[in-house]
Amino acid sequence: GAGVSQSPSNKVTEKGKDVELRCDPISGHTALYWYRQSLGQGLEFLIYFQGNSAPDKSGLPSDRFSAERTGGSVSTLTIQRTQQEDSAVYLCASSSRTSDWNEQFFGPGTRLTVL
Amino acid sequence: SQQGEEDPQALSIQEGENATMNCSYKTSINNLQWYRQNSGRGLVHLILIRSNEREKHSGRLRVTLDTSKKSSSLLITASRAADTASYFCATGQGAQKLVFGQGTRLTINP
């Protein structure tokens, strides 16, 4: 595909359940980012992967949140024991050296609703 | 915490008018970017201005940057209904996270 894809597009879950959100970055993009956007708010950085370097996890709000990136491509964001305040749109982005890293290409997001 | 703060939070104008949105930030930057978001989903990159630039144009978009005041403005000329969206400024340092403002919600009335 030409762009960043995310799945599922919508996820409704019950409080306390675990969820996994998937991101497929643009092929060849070595930098991958996860952001969270609560209703009517700006984007909040969660985690950043760059090649084989250790990820920047400084934005993860709690130890219930984790992410991995397998094979330098697909990434999964996992939220354990979901809480209602986790409800938000989770956006993934990727970038590459050819755009001087600066332009980030965003996926359509996953809207998570925790009941 | 959010570095950028957009002003106004919401703007409603008539089609054909110009729309101006402002962004202020706190720390030193090497570039500032503007993104558009439709319907609360994916963001689209509009324009990037580097810290050594003062003004940049792209089609109907004009961005200015004043590093002494730590502020930027985005001007959309001859607005169209399709410009209705939320607009965010974001600051970054190369291959690192972007720090976004809260956004300006722009409505273009036909």
Side-chain angles (χ1 to χ4, degrees):
Chain A
V4 177
S5 61
Q6 293 186 244
S7 62
S9 57
N10 287 284
K11 176 72 177 178
V12 179
T13 190
E14 293 179 349
K15 178 181 174 181
K17 296 287 179 75
D18 298 350
V19 295
E20 285 189 352
L21 312 179
R22 176 187 168 105
C23 171
D24 277 277
I26 293 173
S27 178
H29 280 197
T30 59
L32 186 148
Y33 313 78
W34 283 97
Y35 296 89
R36 176 171 73 172
Q37 185 178 31
S38 300
L39 186 64
Q41 299 296 310
L43 276 73
E44 173 190 12
F45 166 76
L46 296 177
I47 188 169
Y48 156 58
F49 296 90
Q50 171 61 287
N52 295 321
S53 302
D56 175 358
K57 304 180 182 180
S58 61
L60 295 179
S62 78
D63 58 9
R64 296 186 296 104
F65 288 72
S66 62
E68 62 178 22
R69 189 178 184 192
T70 55
S73 181
V74 172
S75 177
T76 301
L77 177 69
T78 301
I79 309 173
Q80 295 178 310
R81 304 180 304 281
T82 52
Q83 303 294 312
Q84 288 183 332
E85 60 262 29
D86 299 335
S87 295
V89 175
Y90 289 81
L91 291 156
C92 174
S94 68
S95 69
S96 75
R97 185 180 298 278
T98 57
S99 63
D100 198 24
W101 302 112
N102 290 300
E103 179 179 351
Q104 294 186 13
F105 296 82
F106 282 81
T110 294
R111 185 178 301 278
L112 174 66
T113 303
V114 182
L115 302 177
Chain B
S1 63
Q2 298 293 334
Q3 154 129 286
E5 294 182 3
E6 282 93 341
D7 165 53
Q9 291 188 341
L11 178 62
S12 181
I13 61 174
Q14 294 300 119
E15 193 167 18
E17 294 180 339
N18 296 340
T20 300
M21 289 160 273
N22 302 295
C23 167
S24 61
Y25 57 91
K26 297 183 176 66
T27 64
S28 296
I29 60 171
N30 69 8
N31 70 73
L32 185 143
Q33 305 178 46
W34 286 89
Y35 284 79
R36 184 184 70 214
Q37 184 179 40
N38 291 86
S39 305
R41 299 307 283 261
L43 278 74
V44 174
H45 182 265
L46 294 176
I47 196 166
L48 179 151
I49 187 166
R50 299 188 187 278
S51 59
N52 61 353
E53 298 176 309
R54 292 296 168 260
E55 186 171 314
K56 201 163 185 179
H57 297 254
S58 176
R60 294 184 295 112
L61 305 180
R62 171 176 168 255
V63 169
T64 62
L65 179 64
D66 187 335
T67 53
S68 66
K69 295 181 179 178
K70 292 187 167 58
S71 67
S72 173
S73 67
L74 171 66
L75 169 67
I76 304 174
T77 60
S79 63
R80 305 167 181 170
D83 295 330
T84 294
S86 291
Y87 292 81
F88 294 88
C89 69
T91 55
Q93 296 280 342
Q96 296 183 17
K97 64 184 181 185
L98 289 175
V99 180
F100 286 84
Q102 298 298 311
T104 291
R105 190 169 60 255
L106 176 64
T107 302
I108 309 299
N109 302 304

